[in-house]
Amino acid sequence: MKRHPALIELSREHHGALSLARRIALAEVGTTEWNALRTRVLGPFRSELMAHFADEETRLLPLLGDTQPAAVERLLDEHRALKRLLDALKSGEVDAMKKFGTLLSAHVRFEERQFFVLVQEQLPTAS
């Protein structure tokens, strides 16, 4: 399905998140790569992610209203869980980054394959 123009930038950001999640999945704990990923996740990516979540929650959720409560609840639950994992990673929890990468990948796929489809149905047809 061709992505509506209002969702294109969010989808581009998703591509970067999937790439990061894959790198996390392949990295070995304690290596230079692992430490660089941890620094990226807790620094610039965290800021980008929080802005991305805020954008989705303020721009997209109102489009669905009360029509898709399960999808909205899943989106919000996963946003909260990802934030908790970032906090755990910052606190030094060893397995938090792998859990974060796994959930990030699943969350992006949910948004792209299901949530954005529901939102796109509510947007005016792009010309």
Side-chain angles (χ1 to χ4, degrees):
M1 169 186 277
K2 186 175 178 183
R3 195 58 74 212
H4 189 281
L7 300 173
I8 290 174
E9 186 57 35
L10 290 169
S11 282
R12 284 188 183 131
E13 292 171 5
H14 283 164
H15 177 75
L18 284 174
S19 175
L20 178 63
R22 177 158 169 68
R23 288 179 59 207
I24 291 169
L26 296 174
E28 292 186 38
V29 177
T31 63
T32 303
E33 169 81 5
W34 181 267
N35 293 329
L37 286 168
R38 185 179 186 279
T39 298
R40 167 87 174 107
V41 166
L42 290 176
F45 186 74
R46 182 183 187 124
S47 298
E48 294 164 13
L49 190 63
M50 294 307 111
H52 181 92
F53 287 173
D55 195 22
E56 289 176 341
E57 291 173 15
T58 58
R59 286 191 320 122
L60 304 183
L61 293 185
L63 293 171
L64 296 179
D66 295 332
T67 64
Q68 299 293 331
V72 169
E73 190 60 32
R74 179 174 174 183
L75 178 103
L76 292 172
D77 284 347
E78 290 179 1
H79 283 185
R80 287 187 289 266
L82 287 162
K83 290 175 188 177
R84 283 192 303 274
L85 286 168
L86 286 171
D87 290 341
L89 180 60
K90 186 175 182 178
S91 297
E93 188 177 311
V94 176
D95 62 344
M97 192 153 78
K98 288 287 187 183
K99 290 177 183 177
F100 175 80
T102 299
L103 180 55
L104 181 64
S105 179
H107 177 69
V108 167
R109 292 181 194 291
F110 159 70
E111 286 188 352
E112 287 292 329
R113 294 176 181 164
Q114 297 173 41
F115 190 78
F116 279 13
V117 172
L118 297 171
V119 169
Q120 195 154 312
E121 290 172 357
Q122 303 304 312
L123 292 167
T125 305
S127 328

